[in-house]
Amino acid sequence: QVQFVESGGGSVQPGVSLRLSCAVPGFDLRGYAVGWFRQAPGKEREGVSCIGSSDGSTSYSDTVKGRFTISRDNAKNMVFLEMNSLKPEDTAEYYCAANLLRSTCTAVIRSYEYSYWGQGTQVTVSS
């Protein structure tokens, strides 16, 4: 099965920045919106951000808007998530996935619309 490969996570102090990367070997993501999600222990998977295939559209959850920035490089077949001003509540396993049903983003990022989940990358924010 095709899987996205997430990397760039780590254990950091509050206020630190991290840049997550999402690679998609063997799958051409052109034409698809791509989303970032996170899941903390005991909590449901949360849609964090989405980026459209080529129109520049993006969306963010209220909890990360203004701190996180999503981008993509279609030539490299990769998507990125710049995470600034990290807070302890950002601690979670982060995943990326493709929306096979649309090329643009919706205001609400629904995990069931996305496919090809990877193993995730852990982000831990603590003092």
Side-chain angles (χ1 to χ4, degrees):
Q1 182 180 356
V2 174
Q3 287 187 316
F4 282 44
V5 181
E6 303 92 345
S7 62
S11 182
V12 299
Q13 298 286 324
V16 171
S17 296
L18 285 174
R19 186 173 188 250
L20 305 184
S21 298
C22 176
V24 197
F27 181 79
D28 186 357
L29 55 74
R30 291 179 300 168
Y32 303 114
V34 176
W36 280 98
F37 302 81
R38 66 186 182 186
Q39 186 168 23
K43 295 186 177 181
E44 297 295 321
R45 184 168 293 179
E46 173 191 9
V48 174
S49 184
C50 173
I51 185 166
S53 62
S54 61
D55 66 349
S57 64
T58 59
S59 62
Y60 299 90
S61 66
D62 290 338
T63 55
V64 308
K65 191 173 184 178
R67 297 188 298 118
F68 291 8
T69 302
I70 191 170
S71 62
R72 69 191 297 163
D73 186 339
N74 283 341
K76 296 182 178 180
N77 206 43
M78 295 182 69
V79 177
F80 308 94
L81 185 67
E82 182 73 28
M83 309 164 66
N84 299 315
S85 301
L86 283 165
K87 304 175 180 180
E89 51 263 43
D90 294 318
T91 297
E93 192 83 5
Y94 283 73
Y95 304 86
C96 58
N99 191 327
L100 302 183
L101 302 178
R102 62 175 66 249
S103 61
T104 57
C105 294
T106 57
V108 179
I109 307 163
R110 302 177 176 88
S111 63
Y112 61 80
E113 295 183 353
Y114 292 75
S115 301
Y116 304 144
W117 299 94
Q119 295 185 10
T121 184
Q122 179 68 37
V123 174
T124 301
V125 185
S126 62
S127 300

